[in-house]
Amino acid sequence: MSDLQRRDFVAGAAALAAATGIGLVAGDAVDAGDPSFMNNVPDPLLANKELPTFKYALEKSKGRVIGQSYGKEATVEQLPISKGLAGVSMRLEPGAMRELHWHATAAEWAFVNEGRVRTTVIDPQGRAETNDFEAGDVWYFPRGHGHMLECLGNKPCHFILIFDNGYFSEFGTFSISDWLGHAPRSLLAKNFGVPEATFDGFPKTEVYFARGAQPPEKPANPLQGLRLPPQTHKYRLLAQAPAVDNKGGRLYMVDSSSFPIAKTITGAILDLNPGALRELHWHPNADEWQYVLDGRVSVTLFGSHGRFRTETLERGDVGYIPQGYGHSLENIGERRCRVLIGFNSGVYESIDLSQWVAGNPVDVLATNFGKPPATLAKFPRRSIIIAPR
Ligand code: MN
Ligand code: MN
């Protein structure tokens, strides 16, 4: 760092300190040219004596309803801690379509919970893919890529959308009817090379959920013919073998190593048998967004400085774990519970408590806890991941 750069940097840090009301004690670190101290400026939301709530009853909210279709969202507005990820629960009735739209600020990952869904997505190279999904399947659309979702068949469908930005709102997307409804007809006529009258009767405002006939079982070809992208947007998560399968339950995982297009989101389905525990762990590289598909689960959060908080999540509730925070999930219900989990990284990383302990010399552990080595020698030799009741 040159002197000039350093002066700017120190001035910037001082301004930041003034703006946040946090004293600049670490003068030495600044002089040493170490910018990492900036990561220790506390987030006001997470810097209090108590941890904030990390639970939101998503399914109990009203959301946006048109006919028998709805979208309910959890963003930083509903759940302020969830800055890294947002989510939506969406139901479409037969014949309903979430109209053509894109998101300026987030990629979209989805898990189909019930029914069948058809999607079409286009990339900046003009290549489009139409896919049909069933329960247990997953899709991923990169940020900004245009897409639509429609219910297939004569039964409603339900899916959970996860976005890699907690400030993203499903009700702030760029919809095709909103755009065409507000552009002059002369502009549209010139754009498409068709008469202005073509646009008579087109919607004037955002349609959001379009309602029409049930789609054909086999989709019609697009106007340009088939021009498929090199990477598929579809992954059959529950059709794969689970990453973990033991007495306590199962963990299904999909990240970019098996689903290459999903570069910014990893997804998982965690099934815990009654009384089972997804052990204490943390994620070095990602925030975690949770949605309870079934059952009741007790989630704990450790935030350093002696801060520890527990929330009980039930079916339809959302939970959130900030990056690097310690946490666990325990099934406290009578039957198996199922939790959908999303991470805002395309690479899955976790460090489990049992693994951490197993990786340290026994004398180190003995000193750390002030106990005889024989006590620590009884601890597990490998990662537990899911502990049975
Ligand atoms: Mn979307
Ligand atoms: Mn986790």
Side-chain angles (χ1 to χ4, degrees):
M1 212 186 250
S2 74
D3 281 343
L4 196 66
Q5 282 173 324
R6 182 172 303 153
R7 226 175 9 249
D8 283 353
F9 181 69
V10 171
L16 182 68
T20 53
I22 293 146
L24 240 196
V25 224
D28 290 345
V30 176
D31 288 338
D34 173 12
S36 64
F37 81 96
M38 292 183 74
N39 295 335
N40 292 326
V41 173
D43 177 336
L45 187 75
L46 292 171
N48 296 316
K49 265 185 101 168
E50 306 280 332
L51 292 170
T53 185
F54 56 91
K55 168 186 172 176
Y56 176 64
L58 176 64
E59 225 48 71
K60 292 198 176 88
S61 68
K62 184 158 183 296
R64 185 165 183 175
V65 183
I66 298 176
Q68 303 291 310
S69 303
Y70 67 72
K72 303 173 179 181
E73 71 176 357
T75 72
V76 285
E77 210 162 284
Q78 293 80 17
L79 182 60
I81 195 174
S82 66
K83 295 179 181 183
L85 292 146
V88 164
S89 169
M90 188 169 283
R91 179 189 197 270
L92 296 177
E93 61 184 319
M97 174 198 295
R98 173 67 178 93
E99 70 164 314
L100 275 70
H101 67 281
W102 78 91
H103 317 143
T105 57
E108 172 175 319
W109 187 100
F111 175 80
V112 179
N113 185 33
E114 279 172 25
R116 294 194 296 139
V117 189
R118 174 172 292 159
T119 70
T120 297
V121 56
I122 193 160
D123 70 13
Q125 287 73 35
R127 301 168 301 200
E129 186 181 31
T130 294
N131 284 121
D132 293 352
F133 297 81
E134 299 170 30
D137 294 347
V138 162
W139 69 73
Y140 177 89
F141 303 147
R143 182 177 62 199
H145 292 201
H147 56 276
M148 72 88 198
L149 324 167
E150 65 182 352
C151 183
L152 264 190
N154 57 8
K155 294 195 182 71
C157 61
H158 177 237
F159 44 89
I160 305 298
L161 304 168
I162 300 179
F163 303 97
D164 57 358
N165 179 355
Y167 293 80
F168 167 80
S169 171
E170 168 64 14
F171 310 127
T173 62
F174 292 72
S175 293
I176 197 166
S177 60
D178 191 17
W179 199 5
L180 266 60
H182 291 89
R185 293 202 314 169
S186 56
L187 188 68
L188 296 175
K190 184 184 282 185
N191 192 107
F192 291 107
V194 298
E196 283 190 30
T198 306
F199 300 99
D200 289 349
F202 268 47
K204 291 266 178 280
T205 54
E206 185 185 34
V207 169
Y208 194 75
F209 289 133
R211 301 159 82 183
Q214 282 175 35
E217 274 303 310
K218 186 182 177 328
N221 269 346
L223 293 174
Q224 69 177 6
L226 284 180
R227 282 178 55 197
L228 291 173
Q231 291 178 336
T232 182
H233 299 80
K234 175 178 174 180
Y235 186 82
R236 308 212 63 204
L237 178 58
L238 293 191
Q240 315 300 316
V244 177
D245 188 353
N246 67 24
K247 267 202 271 182
R250 288 179 174 170
L251 179 64
Y252 297 86
M253 295 276 316
V254 55
D255 73 2
S256 59
S257 64
S258 46
F259 187 29
I261 202 165
K263 288 198 171 59
T264 66
I265 298 178
T266 291
I269 289 286
L270 175 66
D271 288 342
L272 293 175
N273 296 331
L277 170 72
R278 168 69 181 99
E279 72 159 307
L280 301 164
H281 66 285
W282 73 95
H283 304 287
N285 67 337
D287 302 303
E288 172 172 331
W289 191 91
Q290 306 162 338
Y291 176 92
V292 179
L293 289 161
D294 201 15
R296 269 179 88 217
V297 57
S298 172
V299 182
T300 72
L301 182 67
F302 167 59
S304 80
H305 297 97
R307 298 175 306 165
F308 192 88
R309 184 172 180 130
T310 304
E311 306 267 16
T312 298
L313 305 187
E314 313 211 25
R315 185 185 176 120
D317 290 346
V318 164
Y320 188 84
I321 311 292
Q323 177 175 315
Y325 278 50
H327 58 286
S328 65
L329 295 89
E330 184 181 14
N331 184 352
I332 55 169
E334 302 299 314
R335 57 175 194 275
R336 191 192 70 167
C337 76
R338 169 166 280 186
V339 185
L340 170 67
I341 298 174
F343 305 94
N344 53 355
S345 169
V347 176
Y348 179 74
E349 287 184 354
S350 82
I351 298 179
D352 294 358
L353 186 56
S354 60
Q355 179 112 65
W356 192 25
V357 167
N360 273 274
V362 168
D363 66 284
V364 168
L365 301 170
T367 301
N368 199 139
F369 295 113
K371 284 287 177 187
T375 303
L376 283 313
K378 292 182 186 128
F379 277 62
R381 268 145 181 70
R382 63 181 64 82
S383 183
I384 296 292
I385 308 176
I386 299 175
R389 182 199 290 274

